[in-house]
Short mmCIF file of all heavy atoms in Angstrom, two decimals:
data_model
loop_
_atom_site.label_atom_id
_atom_site.label_comp_id
_atom_site.label_asym_id
_atom_site.label_seq_id
_atom_site.Cartn_x
_atom_site.Cartn_y
_atom_site.Cartn_z
N ARG A 1 5.87 13.85 -11.60
CA ARG A 1 5.46 13.26 -10.33
C ARG A 1 4.74 11.94 -10.59
O ARG A 1 3.98 11.80 -11.54
CB ARG A 1 4.53 14.21 -9.56
CG ARG A 1 5.23 15.44 -8.97
CD ARG A 1 6.16 15.06 -7.85
NE ARG A 1 6.83 16.20 -7.25
CZ ARG A 1 8.02 16.67 -7.62
NH1 ARG A 1 8.66 16.09 -8.65
NH2 ARG A 1 8.57 17.70 -7.02
N ASP A 2 4.97 11.00 -9.69
CA ASP A 2 4.29 9.71 -9.75
C ASP A 2 2.98 9.85 -8.97
O ASP A 2 2.85 9.35 -7.86
CB ASP A 2 5.18 8.63 -9.14
CG ASP A 2 4.82 7.23 -9.62
OD1 ASP A 2 3.69 7.06 -10.11
OD2 ASP A 2 5.65 6.32 -9.51
N PHE A 3 2.02 10.56 -9.57
CA PHE A 3 0.74 10.83 -8.93
C PHE A 3 0.00 9.51 -8.66
O PHE A 3 -0.18 8.70 -9.56
CB PHE A 3 -0.12 11.73 -9.81
CG PHE A 3 0.45 13.10 -10.04
CD1 PHE A 3 1.07 13.42 -11.24
CD2 PHE A 3 0.36 14.07 -9.06
CE1 PHE A 3 1.59 14.69 -11.46
CE2 PHE A 3 0.89 15.35 -9.27
CZ PHE A 3 1.51 15.65 -10.46
N THR A 4 -0.45 9.33 -7.41
CA THR A 4 -1.08 8.06 -7.01
C THR A 4 -2.43 8.33 -6.38
O THR A 4 -2.53 9.07 -5.40
CB THR A 4 -0.18 7.30 -6.03
OG1 THR A 4 1.17 7.30 -6.51
CG2 THR A 4 -0.66 5.86 -5.87
N TYR A 5 -3.47 7.73 -6.94
CA TYR A 5 -4.84 7.98 -6.50
C TYR A 5 -5.10 7.35 -5.14
O TYR A 5 -4.60 6.27 -4.83
CB TYR A 5 -5.82 7.43 -7.54
CG TYR A 5 -7.26 7.83 -7.30
CD1 TYR A 5 -7.65 9.17 -7.37
CD2 TYR A 5 -8.23 6.87 -7.02
CE1 TYR A 5 -8.96 9.54 -7.16
CE2 TYR A 5 -9.55 7.24 -6.82
CZ TYR A 5 -9.90 8.58 -6.88
OH TYR A 5 -11.22 8.95 -6.67
N ILE A 6 -5.90 8.02 -4.35
CA ILE A 6 -6.11 7.64 -2.95
C ILE A 6 -6.65 6.21 -2.81
O ILE A 6 -6.24 5.49 -1.89
CB ILE A 6 -7.03 8.66 -2.24
CG1 ILE A 6 -7.16 8.34 -0.76
CG2 ILE A 6 -8.39 8.74 -2.91
CD1 ILE A 6 -5.88 8.38 0.03
N ASP A 7 -7.55 5.77 -3.68
CA ASP A 7 -8.09 4.41 -3.55
C ASP A 7 -6.99 3.36 -3.72
O ASP A 7 -7.00 2.32 -3.04
CB ASP A 7 -9.19 4.16 -4.58
CG ASP A 7 -10.47 4.93 -4.27
OD1 ASP A 7 -10.50 5.66 -3.25
OD2 ASP A 7 -11.44 4.79 -5.03
N ASP A 8 -6.05 3.63 -4.61
CA ASP A 8 -4.93 2.71 -4.80
C ASP A 8 -4.02 2.71 -3.57
O ASP A 8 -3.53 1.66 -3.14
CB ASP A 8 -4.13 3.08 -6.05
CG ASP A 8 -4.93 2.90 -7.33
OD1 ASP A 8 -5.77 1.98 -7.37
OD2 ASP A 8 -4.73 3.69 -8.27
N ILE A 9 -3.80 3.89 -3.02
CA ILE A 9 -2.99 4.00 -1.80
C ILE A 9 -3.62 3.21 -0.66
O ILE A 9 -2.95 2.44 0.04
CB ILE A 9 -2.84 5.49 -1.39
CG1 ILE A 9 -1.91 6.22 -2.35
CG2 ILE A 9 -2.38 5.62 0.05
CD1 ILE A 9 -0.44 5.88 -2.19
N VAL A 10 -4.91 3.39 -0.46
CA VAL A 10 -5.62 2.71 0.64
C VAL A 10 -5.52 1.20 0.48
O VAL A 10 -5.26 0.47 1.46
CB VAL A 10 -7.09 3.16 0.69
CG1 VAL A 10 -7.90 2.27 1.64
CG2 VAL A 10 -7.17 4.61 1.14
N GLU A 11 -5.72 0.73 -0.74
CA GLU A 11 -5.61 -0.71 -0.99
C GLU A 11 -4.23 -1.22 -0.60
O GLU A 11 -4.09 -2.28 0.04
CB GLU A 11 -5.87 -0.99 -2.47
CG GLU A 11 -5.85 -2.46 -2.85
CD GLU A 11 -7.03 -3.24 -2.29
OE1 GLU A 11 -8.08 -2.63 -1.99
OE2 GLU A 11 -6.88 -4.48 -2.15
N GLY A 12 -3.20 -0.46 -0.95
CA GLY A 12 -1.83 -0.86 -0.61
C GLY A 12 -1.57 -0.84 0.88
O GLY A 12 -0.95 -1.75 1.43
N VAL A 13 -2.03 0.21 1.56
CA VAL A 13 -1.83 0.33 3.01
C VAL A 13 -2.45 -0.87 3.73
O VAL A 13 -1.84 -1.46 4.63
CB VAL A 13 -2.42 1.65 3.54
CG1 VAL A 13 -2.43 1.67 5.07
CG2 VAL A 13 -1.64 2.84 3.01
N ILE A 14 -3.66 -1.22 3.36
CA ILE A 14 -4.36 -2.30 4.06
C ILE A 14 -3.73 -3.65 3.73
O ILE A 14 -3.59 -4.51 4.63
CB ILE A 14 -5.86 -2.27 3.73
CG1 ILE A 14 -6.47 -1.00 4.34
CG2 ILE A 14 -6.57 -3.51 4.25
CD1 ILE A 14 -7.92 -0.78 4.02
N ARG A 15 -3.31 -3.85 2.50
CA ARG A 15 -2.60 -5.09 2.17
C ARG A 15 -1.32 -5.23 3.00
O ARG A 15 -0.98 -6.32 3.48
CB ARG A 15 -2.27 -5.14 0.67
CG ARG A 15 -3.46 -5.45 -0.22
CD ARG A 15 -3.09 -5.36 -1.70
NE ARG A 15 -4.22 -5.68 -2.55
CZ ARG A 15 -4.46 -6.89 -3.06
NH1 ARG A 15 -3.64 -7.89 -2.80
NH2 ARG A 15 -5.50 -7.09 -3.83
N VAL A 16 -0.61 -4.14 3.16
CA VAL A 16 0.61 -4.15 3.97
C VAL A 16 0.29 -4.41 5.44
O VAL A 16 0.97 -5.20 6.11
CB VAL A 16 1.38 -2.82 3.81
CG1 VAL A 16 2.45 -2.67 4.89
CG2 VAL A 16 2.01 -2.75 2.43
N CYS A 17 -0.75 -3.76 5.94
CA CYS A 17 -1.14 -3.95 7.33
C CYS A 17 -1.44 -5.41 7.63
O CYS A 17 -1.12 -5.93 8.71
CB CYS A 17 -2.37 -3.08 7.64
SG CYS A 17 -2.95 -3.18 9.35
N ASP A 18 -2.05 -6.09 6.68
CA ASP A 18 -2.44 -7.49 6.86
C ASP A 18 -1.27 -8.46 6.71
O ASP A 18 -1.42 -9.65 7.00
CB ASP A 18 -3.54 -7.86 5.85
CG ASP A 18 -4.86 -7.18 6.14
OD1 ASP A 18 -5.05 -6.71 7.27
OD2 ASP A 18 -5.71 -7.12 5.23
N ARG A 19 -0.12 -7.96 6.29
CA ARG A 19 1.05 -8.83 6.07
C ARG A 19 2.17 -8.42 7.03
O ARG A 19 2.90 -7.49 6.77
CB ARG A 19 1.52 -8.73 4.62
CG ARG A 19 2.65 -9.68 4.28
CD ARG A 19 3.14 -9.46 2.86
NE ARG A 19 4.15 -10.44 2.49
CZ ARG A 19 5.44 -10.34 2.78
NH1 ARG A 19 5.89 -9.29 3.46
NH2 ARG A 19 6.29 -11.28 2.40
N THR A 20 2.31 -9.12 8.12
CA THR A 20 3.33 -8.80 9.11
C THR A 20 4.70 -9.21 8.59
O THR A 20 4.90 -10.35 8.17
CB THR A 20 3.05 -9.54 10.43
OG1 THR A 20 1.74 -9.19 10.88
CG2 THR A 20 4.07 -9.16 11.49
N PRO A 21 5.66 -8.28 8.59
CA PRO A 21 6.99 -8.60 8.05
C PRO A 21 7.75 -9.59 8.93
O PRO A 21 7.56 -9.65 10.14
CB PRO A 21 7.69 -7.25 8.03
CG PRO A 21 7.02 -6.45 9.09
CD PRO A 21 5.59 -6.90 9.08
N THR A 22 8.60 -10.37 8.29
CA THR A 22 9.47 -11.31 8.99
C THR A 22 10.91 -11.01 8.57
O THR A 22 11.15 -10.34 7.56
CB THR A 22 9.12 -12.76 8.62
OG1 THR A 22 9.18 -12.91 7.19
CG2 THR A 22 7.71 -13.12 9.10
N PRO A 23 11.88 -11.49 9.35
CA PRO A 23 13.28 -11.26 8.96
C PRO A 23 13.59 -11.86 7.59
O PRO A 23 13.04 -12.89 7.20
CB PRO A 23 14.06 -11.99 10.06
CG PRO A 23 13.14 -12.01 11.24
CD PRO A 23 11.76 -12.16 10.66
N ASN A 24 14.46 -11.20 6.86
CA ASN A 24 14.91 -11.70 5.57
C ASN A 24 16.08 -12.65 5.81
O ASN A 24 17.18 -12.22 6.18
CB ASN A 24 15.36 -10.52 4.69
CG ASN A 24 15.92 -10.98 3.35
OD1 ASN A 24 15.90 -12.16 3.03
ND2 ASN A 24 16.44 -10.03 2.57
#
């Protein structure tokens, strides 16, 4: 399993939230 620690997950979620996707 690719075990992922919660602090790393949270950092990723918030970075994604702050970056609104645009069309490719």
Side-chain angles (χ1 to χ4, degrees):
R1 288 291 181 268
D2 202 340
F3 296 103
T4 314
Y5 190 63
I6 185 62
D7 289 1
D8 294 327
I9 288 287
V10 169
E11 183 69 23
V13 170
I14 292 176
R15 284 175 179 265
V16 165
C17 181
D18 290 342
R19 184 184 185 277
T20 303
T22 56
N24 177 5

